[in-house]
Amino acid sequence: VTLLLEVAERLFAENGVEAVSLSRIVDEGGQRNRSALHYHFGSRAGIVLQLLHMRLRHINAIRHQYLDQLEQKAQADDVRAIIHATTRALFEVVQKEDWGIYYVQVLAQTTLSPALRGVDGVDPGVRDGLQRTLALIGKALPDIPAATLRQRFTFMTDMVIFSLARVLRESGKKGVTTTLLTQLVDFSTAGIASPIKGRAKR
């Protein structure tokens, strides 16, 4: 099962999630049983969902580790430090794991794919590091309404994912540098913490 997911991830990243036939995944995964993919995952969306679960579980653990370190250092009220910690987790995966480059490309595609808009059944337990990040930012920025903060956080995460996907497509792993991380964190911090003009504080 894991092998099929890894093959699907690579093919989706290289060719596009909606352009890869399920039979090709079965063939390149060395499966003799042509119905193996449908048996284990049910559909293309099912493959993507299981792939997200597998990768998010790994990234989530790293994200919690960095957030734990922030709290131990009494930096959990530093917005830039919080954003750096959560973004660094994704960067670390891209830099250290062979599958990191594929995962980011697939993640960027699933965000916009009409056929995969229904892939919303990801277990909250494999992404609660992001919820913890948002909660910490909310405590550090009490003057920004919660709804506005959630929207800005979505903007931020999308920007990081799409920016990373672009860099990886154009430059490969060599483009994923400390300088890029710093730029994305600085940009994200400015957007998240920007004062709301013409609106009352909550």
Side-chain angles (χ1 to χ4, degrees), residues 63 79-80 82-88 90 130 133-134 137 148-164 184-193:
R63 184 166 280 128
V79 175
R80 189 187 186 283
I82 297 167
I83 293 174
H84 183 273
T86 199
T87 307
R88 181 185 172 190
L90 185 57
L130 285 174
T133 300
L134 179 57
I137 293 174
T148 299
L149 201 59
R150 285 194 299 271
Q151 188 175 49
R152 289 182 177 185
F153 191 67
T154 299
F155 293 159
M156 182 196 89
T157 53
D158 284 352
M159 183 275 295
V160 169
I161 291 166
F162 291 128
S163 296
L164 262 181
L184 290 177
V185 170
D186 286 344
F187 189 82
S188 297
T189 304
I192 286 282

Side-chain angles (χ1 to χ4, degrees), residues 54-104:
M54 182 170 70
R55 299 314 189 194
L56 282 169
R57 187 174 291 109
H58 181 93
I59 297 168
N60 198 52
I62 298 173
R63 184 166 280 128
H64 276 299
Q65 177 185 354
Y66 287 141
L67 293 175
D68 286 344
Q69 291 175 4
L70 275 188
E71 293 185 334
Q72 291 165 6
K73 296 176 182 177
Q75 294 179 326
D77 59 348
D78 183 330
V79 175
R80 189 187 186 283
I82 297 167
I83 293 174
H84 183 273
T86 199
T87 307
R88 181 185 172 190
L90 185 57
F91 264 68
E92 181 173 307
V93 162
V94 172
Q95 291 169 331
K96 295 183 178 181
E97 303 293 342
D98 292 337
W99 51 265
I101 188 170
Y102 301 136
Y103 169 73
V104 171

